[in-house]
Amino acid sequence: MKLHTKIFIGMLSGIILGLIVKQLNLPAETLSLITAWVEPVGKIFMNMIFMTVIPLILSALVLGVVEIGDLNKLGRMGSILVKYTLIVSFIAVMIGVGLVNVFNPGKKISPETKEYLVQEYRTEASNAQNYSDENKKKSIGDIIVNIIPKNPIHEMGHAFDVNNSGGGLISIMFFALILGIAMTAVGPEKAGPVLKFLESLYDIVLVIIGYAMKMAPYGVAALLFNMVLNVGADFLITLAWYVGIVILGLAIKKFVVYGIILKKKKKKNPWQF
């Protein structure tokens, strides 16, 4: 059975089991005991995914830069890539903001669900708001300085911490870029050992991701089971509405935005491409 089929079965199983247990009207102590056993499965799955992000970004970016080899070529490609990224990212943000303003998926959340989400994620929301308020006070110069990490190891350890005052993942990407450029500059003879280490790290991380994906059906089932048990099935309708809007946004970007770029810049038929 293919992985996506297993994940789909896990989604259905989590939803159905959550609805069944919720309808049984079990005592609060029993529900807490069930949650205590099921919840770690979902969290373990998510943690396995998150723990591969940093080594994957670091190794993939460095290897990509080193593979280009020519620093002049890298500079030209980097300039084009930055322009492309800024333009496409701006368009993507506009599409996202436009779809949210038109469809407003948050309106479909019931008052009970809103209250639960507020209580459950109050601390995270407060930290995120404080972080946002601090960033608003920063100048463009401060933001640029933050991208360059004082301690790359610290940024790797706190990349997913909302209270981290550094650049997070962007700082790690900058460090990987500089490391790749420096390795290219010193040549393969001196950079060889580090290059072999990063190649091995990249291959190992892909294997770990494979392990995590094998756990995906059970992790997804556990996450949805707890969500349905704590919030109810109404939230799934809102979630499905949100997912539909996201898919619509991705479709617009893929078929319209990328289609126009292919047609104008590469003179290629988007449908044939």
Side-chain angles (χ1 to χ4, degrees), residues 62 65-66 69 71 74 174-188 190-192 194:
V62 173
V65 172
V66 173
L71 292 179
L74 178 63
F174 179 85
F175 171 71
L177 178 63
I178 294 298
L179 182 61
I181 292 173
M183 288 173 62
T184 302
V186 300
K190 293 182 178 179
V194 178

Side-chain angles (χ1 to χ4, degrees), residues 1-13 213-214 217-218:
M1 189 181 296
K2 293 183 177 180
L3 179 61
H4 65 267
T5 304
K6 293 180 180 179
I7 293 175
F8 182 71
I9 293 173
M11 290 172 59
L12 291 179
S13 301
M213 295 313 297
K214 288 181 180 179
Y218 311 102

Side-chain angles (χ1 to χ4, degrees), residues 18 28 49 83 129 162 173 221:
I49 295 296
K83 293 177 183 177
Q129 183 62 50
V162 294
M173 293 169 70

